[in-house]
């Protein structure tokens, strides 16, 4: 519920930190990723889902859903070999 409140009030950083630090990774789900992907993005700011992936990568590993979500995001932004090359850099 707190996560939804933070998203609704456009407090993405706080929502992301809540999701990442929730006990037993209960908020690190495909639903969380989808919510962050659909979050409105202010002009010139980093999209919420990319903020999420960035913080996760700085703190440790991605889970299965996050890994797939990040790869999909990269391939949508950089189709073809460029996207594949970018993904290989993370491996």
């Amino acid at each position: 519920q707190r996560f939804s409140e933070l998203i609704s009030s456009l407090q993405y950083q706080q929502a992301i930190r809540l999701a990442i630090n929730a006990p037993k990774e209960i908020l690190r789900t495909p639903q969380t990723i989808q919510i962050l992907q659909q979050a409105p993005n202010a002009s010139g700011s980093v999209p919420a889902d990319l903020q999420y992936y960035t913080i996760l990568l700085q703190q440790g590993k991605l889970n299965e859903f996050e890994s797939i979500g990040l790869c999909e995001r990269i391939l949508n932004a950089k189709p073809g070999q460029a996207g594949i090359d970018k993904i290989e850099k993370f491996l």
Side-chain angles (χ1 to χ4, degrees), residues 15-90:
I16 290 166
R17 295 212 181 272
L18 178 68
I20 290 171
N21 296 314
K24 299 181 183 177
E25 299 185 359
I26 60 170
L27 291 176
R28 291 179 63 181
T29 65
Q31 292 80 12
T32 295
I33 294 167
Q34 183 177 22
I35 289 167
L36 293 171
Q37 287 172 337
Q38 295 172 350
N41 186 34
S43 179
S45 67
V46 176
D49 65 318
L50 292 183
Q51 293 178 48
Y52 178 70
Y53 296 129
T54 300
I55 293 169
L56 282 169
L57 288 168
Q58 290 170 346
Q59 293 187 355
K61 289 185 171 185
L62 303 179
N63 66 27
E64 176 185 350
F65 307 117
E66 295 155 350
S67 298
I68 292 168
L70 179 57
C71 288
E72 287 174 345
R73 186 73 152 90
I74 291 170
L75 290 173
N76 286 334
K78 294 183 177 273
Q81 191 61 43
I84 294 169
D85 292 344
K86 186 85 167 173
I87 292 168
E88 286 177 346
K89 288 180 184 179
F90 286 113

